[in-house]
Amino acid sequence: MTEELSLAACGADAEKVLPPFPWDAVVAHYEEIGLKGQNRPIFVRALGRNLAQALQHIPARVRTHWDRIVISAPSESLVAALVKASRVFGVAYLAPIRLLKRNVEEMTAVAVEYYRALASQGASFAIRVRRVDKSFPATSQELERTIGAAVVRETSAPVRLDSPEILIHFRVYEDSVYLVGPRVEGPGGLPVGTAGKVLTLFSGGIDSPVAAWFIMRRGCLTDFIHFHGFPDPEPVRGSKILRLIEALTHPQGFSARLFLVPYYPFQLALFSAAIPPQLELPLFRRFMVRVAQRVADDYGHQALVTGDNLGQAASQTLENLTVTEEVSDLPLLRPLLTFNKAEIIAWAQRIGTYDLSLEKYKDCCSILASHPETKANLRAVEAAESHLPLDKAAAQCLSEMVIWTIGGKEEGADALRRGATQPAREEP
């Protein structure tokens, strides 16, 4: 029995992976939050709220402590609670636990029961005890020796301190003792909502969902803006765009706004002037940032997020990235800036967005010139823009923009969303 289970293992087959034992609850631990000093209680409470939000459809109870969070649920719901909690940002790892009284006799009896439940004949074991409460009368080493001797006496099992087949792990707290099962990895990071609200420019390709995932893991609550190439936004409803956003936000228990902006006003603007084809994509990227900033200003977003990574495509050279961000007064965050494509694909596969991203979709960027300028000159771009009715195109885009809420309105998300001042055509 391994001591640690991977996030990938904690899915539909979690029942087969976790030890067959009558567990009482799940304990969630954090790491980065522990470095927050006097602000630590704020982050712990936020993580507790987010866990409760993610588990809202399970009869679970979430209790926060200084160094851990305990999730109680009926036995038939405990695996589902563990699986959902393992995807919540801020959780470093989790484990199933059995709650015991603070006495050696009960610890010994449960250790024997646990060994018998898991062990094949002659399997080796080891006892690990951590006294979080140092006032407990016996030391960790004394408890390990006493409990280990009892297991040997009752089962004749061999002791192996290094790499045992069965690890029996106890933690002693001030109010109880935990028998701790195998660790299940969480995503780590910070709880969503503790680092502000951002707007992600979302194409639906491989990169932008991964960028959104990483910025959420840094504690940001994100909405999404998508530029579509359809006469009306309805074709988007049945596309991968909504499913990708739901895949990102649903595990956190929050809804997200999707701002759907038509692309054709920019295309009409291009037709109205003789623009060098190689400048079309740099111009469009600047136009998207302009429109996104207008939306961000109206709805209280503090930064824009893109899936850019340096040098991956012709539009993502340092020169072109500089030309793009020149039009933004807000910070332009690029979580994937130093990633290569193989790394991004690996993360997309890990977080479950890769297959969705590969589905066919009419990406408006593919309509533009296929050979964009690799080192766009800012003066040349600005000169081309001077011949375009960009303000008119942006106004038309915003007037025809619709807003969909993905995932339904949730109390926790509504409490975090501030600054929505211009409710354009907002639909469920």
Side-chain angles (χ1 to χ4, degrees):
M1 176 61 61
T2 57
E3 183 183 358
E4 185 167 320
L5 308 178
S6 70
L7 181 65
C10 201
D13 295 329
E15 296 93 336
K16 302 176 184 178
V17 176
L18 292 180
F21 196 71
W23 303 105
D24 296 318
V26 170
V27 63
H29 289 276
Y30 49 80
E31 291 176 348
E32 190 172 351
I33 291 174
L35 305 176
K36 294 302 179 181
Q38 295 181 349
N39 292 321
R40 177 172 171 174
I42 298 173
F43 286 84
V44 173
R45 287 194 297 270
L47 180 55
R49 287 194 301 270
N50 290 1
L51 282 166
Q53 193 74 15
L55 299 171
Q56 60 184 310
H57 300 302
I58 294 177
R61 180 189 176 194
V62 177
R63 291 172 294 158
T64 60
H65 300 265
W66 173 251
D67 60 344
R68 67 199 185 280
I69 295 176
V70 177
I71 303 166
S72 302
S75 57
E76 64 273 13
S77 302
L78 202 59
V79 169
L82 189 151
V83 171
K84 288 181 177 292
S86 72
R87 295 168 182 159
V88 174
F89 295 124
V91 173
Y93 66 92
L94 309 98
I97 58 173
R98 177 86 167 265
L99 300 173
L100 311 174
K101 295 178 181 178
R102 283 167 47 95
N103 65 68
V104 179
E105 292 76 19
E106 184 163 356
M107 294 171 68
T108 299
V110 169
V112 173
E113 179 188 358
Y114 187 63
Y115 178 85
R116 285 174 171 164
L118 271 64
S120 57
Q121 184 66 32
S124 62
F125 80 99
I127 306 292
R128 299 280 190 272
V129 178
R130 179 183 173 189
R131 285 190 318 155
V132 180
D133 176 19
K134 302 301 182 184
S135 68
F136 194 82
T139 67
S140 297
Q141 291 77 15
E142 290 169 345
L143 289 168
E144 289 171 355
R145 287 195 294 268
T146 300
I147 298 170
V151 173
V152 171
R153 185 169 58 251
E154 294 293 328
T155 66
S156 301
V159 176
R160 184 190 298 165
L161 297 182
D162 296 326
S163 302
E165 295 171 86
I166 306 295
L167 179 65
I168 306 175
H169 180 198
F170 294 96
R171 286 199 175 204
V172 180
Y173 291 100
E174 64 281 354
D175 58 346
S176 60
V177 173
Y178 297 175
L179 170 69
V180 183
R183 283 172 45 154
V184 175
E185 294 180 22
L190 299 174
V192 171
T194 58
K197 185 168 69 167
V198 299
L199 181 63
T200 297
L201 281 75
F202 198 75
S203 69
I206 295 173
D207 299 345
S208 56
V210 179
W213 189 88
F214 271 103
I215 207 68
M216 292 171 70
R217 192 168 74 158
R218 296 313 306 154
C220 289
L221 183 72
T222 187
D223 287 321
F224 301 85
I225 183 168
H226 175 69
F227 291 79
H228 65 86
F230 303 104
D232 65 76
E234 279 306 306
V236 180
R237 196 182 292 277
S239 75
K240 64 181 179 180
I241 300 299
L242 271 68
R243 283 177 285 140
L244 278 167
I245 293 174
E246 187 171 43
L248 293 166
T249 58
H250 178 73
Q252 309 307 315
F254 293 117
S255 60
R257 283 192 179 101
L258 170 59
F259 299 88
L260 286 166
V261 180
Y263 157 78
Y264 81 87
F266 176 79
Q267 195 171 29
L268 291 177
L270 283 181
F271 292 158
S272 68
I275 300 298
Q278 67 271 21
L279 292 183
E280 289 181 1
L281 188 53
L283 288 169
F284 181 49
R285 289 172 63 85
R286 282 164 64 91
F287 181 77
M288 288 193 294
V289 169
R290 283 192 174 98
V291 173
Q293 179 167 314
R294 292 275 296 275
V295 173
D297 290 342
D298 288 342
Y299 287 84
H301 301 98
Q302 298 161 275
L304 305 178
V305 179
T306 75
D308 292 329
N309 52 90
L310 188 59
Q312 177 178 276
S315 62
Q316 297 175 0
T317 62
L318 189 58
E319 292 82 358
N320 285 355
L321 294 178
T322 302
V323 165
T324 299
E325 70 180 16
E326 191 270 340
V327 298
S328 177
D329 294 330
L330 291 175
L332 197 56
L333 308 179
R334 299 180 173 105
L336 308 183
L337 188 67
T338 62
F339 285 47
N340 64 41
K341 196 63 178 184
E343 292 168 330
I344 296 171
I345 289 173
W347 273 104
Q349 292 170 332
R350 178 178 178 181
I351 67 179
T353 60
Y354 180 70
D355 289 338
L356 281 174
S357 293
L358 293 184
E359 291 185 9
K360 290 183 178 180
Y361 182 76
K362 185 180 179 182
D363 184 349
C364 56
C365 288
S366 63
I367 303 172
L368 299 167
S370 57
H371 299 289
E373 177 62 62
T374 57
K375 296 184 178 181
N377 179 275
L378 179 58
R379 289 185 179 179
V381 171
E382 290 176 334
E385 284 179 335
S386 68
H387 299 291
L388 298 175
L390 294 181
D391 289 340
K392 179 181 177 181
Q396 188 169 357
C397 282
L398 292 168
S399 70
E400 297 185 27
M401 178 179 72
V402 298
I403 307 169
W404 292 345
T405 299
I406 311 301
K409 292 187 176 181
E410 308 287 359
E411 180 181 352
D414 287 343
L416 289 168
R417 299 185 192 283
R418 301 184 179 91
T421 58
Q422 297 183 12
R425 206 150 45 97
E426 190 158 358
E427 305 172 2

